[in-house]
Amino acid sequence: MEKLKPKLFSVMKTYTKQQFVKDVVAGIIVAIIALPLSIALALASGVAPEQGIYTAIIAGFLISFFGGSRVQIAGPTAAFATIVAGIVAQKGMDGLILATILAGIILIVMGFLRLGNLIKYIPYTITTGFTAGIAVTIAIGQIKDFLGLTYPAGTVTIETMEKAGAVIQNIGTVNLQAVIVGLVCLAILIVFPYINKTIPGSLIAVIVGILMVQLLHMDVNTIGDLYEISNKLPAFHFPAFTLRDIGDIFPDAFTIAILAAIESLLSCVVADSMINSKHRSNMELIAQGIGNVGSALFGGIPATGAIARTAANIKNGGRTPIAGMVHAVVLVLILVILMPYAALIPMPCIAAILFMVAYNMCGWRAFANLCKSSPKSDIIVLVTTFVLTVVFDLVAAIEVGILLAAVLFMKRMSEVTEVEGWKYVDEEDDPDSLTLREVPANTLVYEISGPMFFAAADKILTISVKEDTKCLILRMRSVNAIDATAMHSLEQLYEKYEHKNIQIILSHVNGQPKAVMEKSGFAAKVGAENFCAHIDEALERAKRFADKS
């Protein structure tokens, strides 16, 4: 069983000075990358710029310290931006704090219950759909600042469709100077990584954007024009709440927890492939929970593992959680010393950074490939999740997506479950073929294939017999699972033919179905002698029964 032990405690046994130097360098570089991203993601989430830094500091340090990965870098991510903005707009900061604390508790409980592996049961189509949807909502939300649009007082822009509508209605207020700054910053973000892969393009874009606006005296909104900037260290705050508040906020908390689990474990898997390591998924969930509770209590927003920052950590030599902890400490120094200068960052520059974040996370190639190559049911789940994320919200998208995926999966499984009478054909490639087998008189053989569960349970009751039938053989070699509904149908079938003195014999019953039959008492009713290991044994049993009759 997987250890509930932070990776930090394991790697320190063989830690060296050389690796410490590499971790410090990697941590500094990742902090520089995280700075503009944390500010941008905080603004996209509808909170103050410094709260993104608080999140990277508190959650980043705690998740590295307690985490189940050697190299995971945590902080605010784009996945949370839309849902956080919605919570803040509707329920205020105290509502967000409560939701994040509850999400953290859910994650901790998931970790202790060792549910880390259950995340794999969320279909790829759902994660692809809502990730693409989040990317679109982020992009739509940044059009206003990128174009320098001006909205009339009282314009409501909470939901994505409201933002899109406001853009269309006010497109005539475009600020060309803002567009120029945004395009220059966007070009830097696209081109600079091809020139220099060591210095983050976002940092260069921020510097160039500030210089353009300040030196050319451009009429462009900066962060300082719209928000108050604070370089104070994060302070503890616990919100007042009631049980009703918990009930109201719980769906949002659950969504945050699931998103954090998916994002963090996905990031761990990617990191494992890069460093040939293996993370501890349950310990990682506990760490994510601790990190989110800590972030919420000290003014931050929801956090999770960030794939891009984790990859940057690895590429720059980080190999232990020390790098993530250094990244958090460096951000504390940046917050205290440099945060006031963040007021000079132009809003079109922030929008350009978030456009790139949206593009990098959208996974449009995977989305298009799924639409081309997947079964119709998977495409329905993919597109439905995507549309609901954009048009409504992430909570509805995940709930409906999972429900729809489950229903379509059950439909697909019920279609592959078959109950057929034997057809006497020569199957040369089948070692269990009917060749040279003789079915005793007054005996019928039905072969059941596929899982026997509630969506296919009615097929069991379609089994019919002739007037002279004395023995019914159910061949179950291809049934590897049975649920209570199918078991009930099987009992109904047994009772129906018991009254007609027709003996039921079961052939090749696998482990799980046999255990269910024994637990329900069905095996005792049928009798152990009527459970046969092989079809030949079942046919012989039927022959002896026919001879007695």
Side-chain angles (χ1 to χ4, degrees):
M1 187 177 286
E2 181 186 286
K3 294 180 182 178
L4 289 181
K5 179 181 178 181
K7 275 285 186 176
L8 176 65
F9 300 163
S10 297
V11 300
M12 292 307 292
K13 294 176 183 178
T14 56
Y15 200 55
T16 63
K17 291 181 180 179
Q18 292 83 357
Q19 186 56 55
F20 176 72
V21 172
K22 292 179 181 178
D23 286 339
V24 169
V25 172
I28 293 171
I29 293 173
V30 172
I32 294 171
I33 295 172
L35 175 64
L37 282 176
S38 298
I39 293 173
L41 290 169
L43 296 179
S45 300
V47 299
E50 65 271 13
Q51 289 182 264
I53 307 292
Y54 293 166
T55 308
I57 292 171
I58 304 297
F61 187 91
L62 291 174
I63 291 172
S64 289
F65 187 90
F66 291 104
S69 169
R70 290 169 53 188
V71 291
Q72 178 91 286
I73 301 294
T77 64
F80 292 121
T82 305
I83 189 171
V84 169
I87 295 172
V88 172
Q90 295 172 9
K91 298 166 184 173
M93 273 306 302
D94 277 3
L96 176 62
I97 293 170
L98 182 58
T100 309
I101 291 173
L102 286 176
I105 294 171
I106 292 171
L107 285 164
I108 293 170
V109 171
M110 288 173 65
F112 278 113
L113 292 178
R114 301 183 183 275
L115 300 181
N117 290 330
L118 291 185
I119 301 301
K120 67 184 179 184
Y121 294 110
I122 296 179
Y124 178 60
T125 48
I126 290 179
T127 57
T128 303
F130 75 62
T131 301
I134 291 169
V136 171
T137 60
I138 289 172
I140 291 174
Q142 298 310 306
I143 294 175
K144 174 183 181 292
D145 290 328
F146 191 84
L147 299 180
L149 302 180
T150 303
Y151 292 171
T155 302
V156 179
T157 55
I158 297 175
E159 303 294 337
T160 302
M161 291 297 98
E162 292 173 343
K163 293 176 182 177
V167 168
I168 294 171
Q169 292 171 8
N170 298 283
I171 195 68
T173 63
V174 171
N175 180 345
L176 291 179
Q177 294 186 33
V179 174
I180 292 171
V181 173
L183 288 174
V184 170
C185 291
L186 189 59
I188 291 171
L189 290 166
I190 295 171
V191 175
F192 193 79
Y194 294 101
I195 300 172
N196 188 309
K197 294 184 178 180
T198 303
I199 303 174
S202 56
L203 182 63
I204 303 302
V206 165
I207 294 172
V208 171
I210 291 174
L211 292 175
M212 287 179 67
V213 172
Q214 297 301 315
L215 296 181
L216 301 178
H217 304 289
M218 301 178 80
D219 183 20
V220 176
N221 280 334
T222 64
I223 292 178
D225 294 331
L226 304 179
Y227 302 92
E228 291 185 8
I229 302 294
S230 171
N231 65 342
K232 294 180 180 178
L233 292 174
F236 180 85
H237 172 66
F238 193 85
F241 64 90
T242 64
L243 290 177
R244 184 175 179 179
D245 293 331
I246 293 176
D248 290 343
I249 207 71
F250 189 81
D252 293 319
F254 184 76
T255 302
I256 291 172
I258 294 298
L259 265 180
I262 293 172
E263 288 276 310
S264 62
L265 296 182
L266 178 60
S267 178
C268 286
V269 170
V270 173
D272 285 349
S273 65
M274 295 177 71
I275 63 172
N276 193 27
S277 181
K278 183 173 177 58
H279 72 279
R280 296 168 183 159
S281 58
N282 296 309
M283 192 63 235
E284 184 64 25
L285 289 181
I286 294 172
Q288 293 292 329
I290 295 171
N292 274 279
V293 171
S295 175
L297 292 176
F298 287 89
I301 59 178
T304 187
I307 296 177
R309 275 160 272 174
T310 298
N313 178 38
I314 294 169
K315 290 177 182 177
N316 287 283
R319 288 296 181 275
T320 78
I322 296 295
M325 294 159 67
V326 169
H327 134 269
V329 172
V330 172
L331 283 174
V332 172
L333 299 176
I334 292 174
L335 172 68
V336 174
I337 299 170
L338 300 178
M339 195 60 187
Y341 297 102
L344 302 176
I345 301 175
M347 293 306 295
C349 179
I350 293 294
I353 290 172
L354 289 170
F355 277 154
M356 286 303 298
V357 169
Y359 176 79
N360 290 330
M361 76 176 292
C362 74
W364 65 269
R365 290 183 180 87
F367 193 100
N369 185 58
L370 284 172
C371 288
K372 290 178 182 177
S373 60
S374 299
K376 289 182 180 178
S377 59
D378 286 335
I379 296 174
I380 291 171
V381 173
L382 173 70
V383 174
T384 300
T385 306
F386 171 76
V387 172
L388 287 175
T389 301
V390 176
V391 176
F392 294 100
D393 58 54
L394 196 57
V395 177
I398 291 179
E399 290 175 348
V400 174
I402 291 177
L403 179 62
L404 188 58
V407 170
L408 291 172
F409 173 77
M410 289 184 291
K411 180 178 181 296
R412 193 182 306 165
M413 288 298 97
S414 68
E415 289 171 350
V416 301
T417 300
E418 296 179 348
V419 178
E420 293 184 326
W422 260 9
K423 296 177 182 178
Y424 298 93
V425 294
D426 186 9
E427 302 176 23
E428 295 181 357
D429 295 329
D430 185 357
D432 291 330
S433 70
L434 303 181
T435 306
L436 303 179
R437 287 194 176 122
E438 180 181 351
V439 178
N442 304 325
T443 298
L444 288 179
V445 181
Y446 274 83
E447 181 130 13
I448 305 176
S449 303
M452 293 173 65
F453 68 116
F454 62 89
D458 60 320
K459 294 185 178 181
I460 298 171
L461 299 177
T462 63
I463 293 174
S464 60
V465 299
K466 299 176 182 179
E467 290 185 5
D468 61 347
T469 300
K470 299 295 182 182
C471 195
L472 173 63
I473 297 176
L474 300 181
R475 194 182 195 196
M476 300 178 65
R477 60 174 178 165
S478 298
V479 178
N480 49 24
I482 184 170
D483 72 357
T485 306
M487 190 66 249
H488 178 66
S489 295
L490 201 56
E491 289 175 340
Q492 286 181 298
L493 182 76
Y494 174 79
E495 291 170 1
K496 176 182 176 181
Y497 291 130
E498 183 184 31
H499 295 312
K500 296 182 179 181
N501 294 318
I502 298 175
Q503 179 63 50
I504 291 182
I505 299 173
L506 293 95
S507 168
H508 199 149
V509 180
N510 290 303
Q512 192 271 352
K514 183 71 176 294
V516 173
M517 291 177 186
E518 290 174 348
K519 188 174 182 180
S520 68
F522 179 76
K525 288 181 183 178
V526 176
E529 67 278 8
N530 292 310
F531 279 80
C532 301
H534 194 271
I535 187 61
D536 291 330
E537 184 182 338
L539 291 171
E540 182 61 31
R541 171 74 182 161
K543 185 175 183 299
R544 291 198 301 270
F545 186 84
D547 291 343
K548 289 180 182 179
S549 302

